[in-house]
Amino acid sequence: MTHTTPSHDMPMAVFPGYLAGPGEDLDALFAFTSGRDDWLLTVEDNNLVACHESGTGIVILDPTEDSTSPRWTVASGRGRTNGLTWHITFDAATPAEVVMAAARRLAHGTGQPTDTEREPHLWSHTSHADTLDALYTEAARARWSAGTRCCSSTLDAPDGTATVRIHLAAEGDGDARDRAYTLTAGARGHEATWWTAEFSRTVPTSVIMAALRTVTDPGRYTRRASRIPMLHRASLRTHPVARRRPEPACGR
C-alpha cells in the first residue's frame, strides 16, 4: 500500500527555525552517528545512546513520551571511568537542530586524536573561562538587552521570544556541573510553554555558543505543517518546501 501525505500537511520551510517545534528526534540522532565511525549508537535502559569510542562524549535521547526526564542529554568526561565533567539537558520541546548544534561541537572535541589534544576543546579551564564574555558579546551583536530577573542576570531577544539566564555562583561555591546557564525560547507572552536547555558550569564556551547561535543567527528548518506549534505561527515565516521536478524522459 502506498501512503501519501495530505496536501495540507506538506513539508514547510520555517523561519526562524528555533520556533519551528522539536522536529524528528530519531532522524537527527541517526544522522549524527551515521557520518561518524568513531561514535557508536546503542540502546540502554530504553534510551538511545550515542557514545564516542573513547568514552569522552555521549548524546542520550529519551524517546519516552511524557517522560519527566530530559529529552536529550549531551555530556563529556575524561573517560569511561572518570564520570562526567559537564552536561547539557534539553526538554522535549527543543528543536532537534539546536541539540545537534551542541552535539557537533562535542564531536569536534572528541574527534581530536589524543586526550592532550581534546583537553583545550572539552575540559580545560580555557575551554570555558570566557563563556560569560562570549555570551554578552554575542548578545550585543544580536541587539539583545541585558537585565535581571529572579536573582539571575538575563539576556533577552528584542522580539521577546528568547532569553538566556545566567545563574552566577560565588567564587568557589557549588559544583562545576551545577546549572549555570539556561537558554529558553518560544512564543512571546507564553513563557510557560517555552523550550528549555540547561548548561552546567563548565560547558565549553564553543558548545554553549553553538546552541545560542541557532537563536541569535537562526536558520530555516523543515517541518510538516501539522508539527509547527500553533502558538508560534504568528512569529514565523513559512513556505512549502520546493519539490524536485521529475527528470525529462529520454529523447524529449
Side-chain angles (χ1 to χ4, degrees):
M1 179 182 294
T2 301
H3 296 277
T4 58
T5 302
S7 59
H8 65 273
D9 197 24
M10 298 301 294
M12 307 291 289
V14 182
F15 180 87
Y18 68 89
L19 297 179
E24 301 298 332
D25 293 339
L26 291 175
D27 289 350
L29 186 59
F30 291 150
F32 173 77
T33 56
S34 65
R36 295 180 169 88
D37 295 337
D38 52 345
W39 285 76
L40 177 66
L41 186 61
T42 61
V43 178
E44 298 180 18
D45 298 327
N46 297 320
N47 295 327
L48 282 171
V49 179
C51 185
H52 189 258
E53 60 188 7
S54 67
T56 58
I58 191 168
V59 178
I60 303 171
L61 170 61
D62 178 358
T64 308
E65 296 294 334
D66 301 321
S67 174
T68 57
S69 300
R71 180 71 164 181
W72 294 93
T73 301
V74 176
S76 181
R78 293 174 182 267
R80 298 182 186 280
T81 61
N82 295 326
L84 297 178
T85 304
W86 57 262
H87 68 273
I88 316 166
T89 58
F90 303 86
D91 67 10
T94 307
E97 293 87 348
V98 177
V99 182
M100 290 299 107
R104 287 193 298 271
R105 289 306 307 176
L106 169 62
H108 174 75
T110 58
Q112 306 307 308
T114 67
D115 278 356
T116 300
E117 291 170 288
R118 293 178 190 126
E119 181 85 14
H121 295 277
L122 296 176
W123 316 303
S124 73
H125 179 70
T126 57
S127 73
H128 62 266
D130 298 325
T131 297
L132 200 56
D133 287 345
L135 288 172
Y136 277 95
T137 298
E138 179 63 16
R141 183 198 67 81
R143 301 182 184 278
W144 288 31
S145 58
T148 303
R149 188 181 310 143
C150 299
C151 301
S152 300
S153 297
T154 62
L155 300 169
D156 300 301
D159 64 357
T161 63
T163 295
V164 174
R165 289 192 179 91
I166 301 165
H167 314 276
L168 298 179
E171 187 68 25
D173 184 28
D175 191 297
R177 292 168 296 177
D178 288 347
R179 178 186 66 172
Y181 311 101
T182 302
L183 172 63
T184 60
R188 182 174 55 251
H190 298 273
E191 285 78 0
T193 69
W194 286 17
W195 60 259
T196 301
E198 302 274 12
F199 303 81
S200 66
R201 193 162 306 283
T202 53
V203 171
T205 301
S206 63
V207 177
I208 189 171
M209 295 307 297
L212 176 60
R213 285 177 180 138
T214 65
V215 181
T216 58
D217 189 16
R220 287 172 171 78
Y221 301 160
T222 299
R223 297 288 187 270
R224 294 284 179 190
S226 63
R227 301 294 299 277
I228 300 171
M230 187 64 68
L231 285 174
H232 297 181
R233 297 190 180 201
S235 303
L236 299 173
R237 298 201 300 270
T238 65
H239 60 81
V241 174
R243 296 182 177 181
R244 294 182 60 183
R245 294 183 178 180
E247 295 292 333
C250 293
R252 293 187 180 181

